[in-house]
Amino acid sequence: MNTHQQTTNEAHVTARELFGEHVSSFRQYLVGHNYVTNTVQQYMRCVGALAATMKADGIAVGELNEALVLDLVDRQGWPEGRHYYAVTIAKRFVRFLHDRGVGQLPPPPTEKEIARKELRKEYESYLRRQRGLSESTIFGCWHQANRFLEYRFGEEAGDLSKITATDIIDFLQHVTGRKPPVRNKTVSTHLRSFFRFLFQTKRNGANLAKGIPSVAQCYGKRLPVHLTSEQTEVLVDAVRGNKPTSRRNHAMVLLLARLGLRPQEVIRIQVDDIDWRAGEIVIRGKGGRHDRLPLPTDVGEAIVEYIRNDRVTESRTLFVSNHAPHKPFKNAEVLNTVLVKAFAKSGLTPPIPYTCTHILRHSLATNLVRQGASLDEVSNLLRHRSQTTTMLYARMDVDGLRSIALPWPGEGGAQ
């Protein structure tokens, strides 16, 4: 037995002595959530290291809390690349112990935390039931509301009835006036929603939402950024590979390219949304809308290949993380990462400085218009609520625009 293995075994013994049956329970918890053997072993090594440090410092299990565990991990000398994972594992183990009544429980919430938690619960319920917003939009609404409350009240719970229009203007100047300037244009929209809620629930006597300005959006001269049909195929092919995630990523990108789905719509797809006999798929769109679309053959084949070879989860969500416990994605950031790597691999230059996951949606619509599809057809495919949104792509129909353009006035023709 080498020195490293002996040290590891001693750490495991120390962990069992210090934490008792909770060590084996934690291992069973990990296995039950589909963690692979190597990951479980890594978790147990970190638990053993934590136990050895606690024993050396004379710290009892009853004293353990998240703040203390961070200090203990910092003193264990983990390499920079492993320190983050050691902290994550130790915190998860401490929460596991707390759930079983072991260790030092977190301090009781402050008056501010109680007030914010109750406000968030009621506000999110309002957005979900009365506005019908998606979970990602609800998260964004509360994020901006909480940013404002932190700016206005600091560590105090705060009296919502004392918020004035001047407070909102100061906050907007604080957010938008920083360097580099903020790119998020939803701040005003989310704040308007929040203050409309405060007025309706009589937390503030004035409807401050009416005084929040809209962010100027100069789209008059902009054409939709897009790839040609050939470039789209090159990008889709670049996603293919030998990595375990390649089949999943290829299926997701095909859904973007062939059906023009929004990124959030891709990660919301459930296994039960696919009707294999009819060759259709249900799309969970914006505002709680469900639409049925035909499932292209190559997309269906890519999904089948992913399900048969790589998909391991108890979730009914179609696309899940490759890492245990194989949960659904919290947001669509994974698709942005996939496209960034695909652009780099293919050698294509993105038509804009940063990679946008909507690029394939815009490309599909633009190429259809150039091939003669009507705006009604494009609107139906993209599932736009208003055809005004689809009119953006009319600018790409050069032949159609020529037919309605007036002749350039000749000499003496313009008065």
Side-chain angles (χ1 to χ4, degrees):
M1 182 183 298
N2 57 44
T3 305
H4 173 73
Q5 186 176 358
Q6 183 178 357
T7 303
T8 301
N9 290 340
E10 291 175 354
H12 288 169
V13 171
T14 302
R16 286 194 296 269
E17 292 176 350
L18 197 62
F19 301 120
E21 62 181 11
H22 298 295
V23 175
S24 58
S25 297
F26 187 54
R27 179 190 291 273
Q28 293 172 5
Y29 167 82
L30 297 173
V31 173
H33 282 75
N34 300 321
Y35 285 77
V36 297
T37 303
N38 289 339
T39 303
V40 173
Q41 291 175 350
Q42 181 180 351
Y43 267 69
M44 302 318 295
R45 281 196 295 270
C46 290
V47 171
L50 176 64
T53 307
M54 291 175 61
K55 183 178 180 181
D57 292 357
I59 299 174
V61 177
E63 304 174 40
L64 198 59
N65 55 50
E66 285 198 18
L68 176 60
V69 83
L70 293 179
D71 180 62
L72 294 174
V73 173
D74 287 342
R75 292 192 283 115
Q76 288 171 3
W78 291 94
E80 184 176 353
R82 309 286 291 178
H83 180 267
Y84 170 80
Y85 296 102
V87 169
T88 302
I89 291 169
K91 290 172 65 176
R92 184 167 296 176
F93 180 62
V94 170
R95 287 194 290 269
F96 177 84
L97 294 178
H98 286 169
D99 290 342
R100 284 151 183 78
V102 179
Q104 194 176 88
L105 298 178
T110 63
E111 180 183 353
K112 169 189 169 182
E113 291 172 339
I114 294 174
R116 293 287 165 83
K117 183 177 180 180
E118 183 62 30
L119 178 65
R120 178 176 185 176
K121 180 180 179 181
E122 190 172 343
Y123 180 44
E124 290 185 345
S125 177
Y126 159 81
L127 295 175
R128 192 174 291 114
R129 295 182 180 181
Q130 297 191 32
R131 300 288 306 282
L133 301 182
S134 67
E135 292 303 317
S136 59
T137 305
I138 291 173
F139 175 83
C141 287
W142 171 251
H143 174 67
Q144 297 300 341
N146 192 50
R147 286 180 68 188
F148 171 80
L149 294 174
E150 290 292 333
Y151 177 82
R152 173 61 178 83
F153 296 112
E155 295 302 318
E156 299 178 359
D159 185 351
L160 300 178
S161 65
K162 294 183 178 180
I163 298 175
T164 64
T166 303
D167 297 328
I168 301 175
I169 294 173
D170 290 343
F171 173 72
L172 289 175
Q173 290 177 339
H174 168 73
V175 172
T176 60
R178 72 187 189 193
K179 296 182 179 180
V182 65
R183 278 176 47 195
N184 185 359
K185 295 184 178 181
T186 63
V187 178
S188 296
T189 304
H190 290 336
L191 284 181
R192 201 176 295 115
S193 172
F194 178 62
F195 286 107
R196 192 179 297 118
F197 161 76
L198 294 186
F199 177 68
Q200 291 183 10
T201 56
K202 299 182 180 180
R203 286 180 166 89
N204 194 297
N207 189 359
L208 299 174
K210 293 183 177 180
I212 300 178
S214 299
V215 177
Q217 305 205 29
C218 303
Y219 291 147
K221 299 180 181 179
R222 180 188 295 183
L223 294 176
V225 293
H226 67 282
L227 303 172
T228 65
S229 299
E230 294 75 16
Q231 289 174 326
T232 297
E233 294 307 313
V234 170
L235 191 67
V236 170
D237 288 339
V239 181
R240 297 176 183 268
N242 299 321
K243 294 183 179 180
T245 57
S246 294
R247 280 182 283 265
R248 180 200 68 194
N249 295 345
H250 183 240
M252 291 194 296
V253 171
L254 274 177
L255 284 163
L256 294 175
R258 300 290 187 263
L259 296 178
L261 300 190
R262 302 176 180 92
Q264 286 289 347
E265 293 169 343
V266 173
I267 66 171
R268 288 186 193 136
I269 296 175
Q270 305 292 303
V271 174
D272 303 322
D273 290 340
I274 304 176
D275 186 340
W276 296 105
R277 292 185 180 276
E280 295 179 336
I281 183 171
V282 174
I283 305 302
R284 300 167 185 262
K286 297 175 68 173
R289 288 182 55 181
H290 288 190
D291 299 289
R292 298 183 71 89
L293 296 179
L295 184 65
T297 302
D298 58 345
V299 179
E301 291 174 349
I303 293 175
V304 169
E305 191 176 2
Y306 160 62
I307 292 176
R308 286 178 173 174
N309 295 284
D310 302 304
R311 188 176 180 275
V312 180
T313 182
E314 296 178 356
S315 172
R316 299 304 294 171
T317 302
L318 178 59
F319 299 111
V320 296
S321 170
N322 189 52
H323 301 290
H326 307 293
K327 292 183 177 181
F329 297 107
K330 294 181 179 179
N331 53 53
E333 183 64 27
V334 60
L335 282 167
N336 190 68
T337 302
V338 169
L339 290 181
V340 168
K341 293 180 179 179
F343 270 110
K345 182 179 177 181
S346 65
L348 293 173
T349 301
I352 48 178
Y354 56 92
T355 302
C356 171
T357 47
H358 272 63
I359 187 69
L360 294 177
R361 180 176 171 88
H362 294 321
S363 300
L364 176 64
T366 300
N367 292 326
L368 286 175
V369 169
R370 286 182 164 177
Q371 292 167 14
S374 68
L375 290 181
D376 282 336
E377 292 170 332
V378 174
S379 179
N380 289 335
L381 176 61
L382 299 186
R383 292 159 289 111
H384 286 155
R385 292 187 178 183
S386 170
Q387 199 174 53
T388 304
T389 308
T390 319
M391 290 301 293
L392 169 70
Y393 301 102
R395 301 169 190 168
M396 307 304 295
D397 186 6
V398 178
D399 292 333
L401 292 174
R402 281 199 187 102
S403 67
I404 62 174
L406 296 175
W408 187 261
E411 184 178 354
Q415 301 295 331

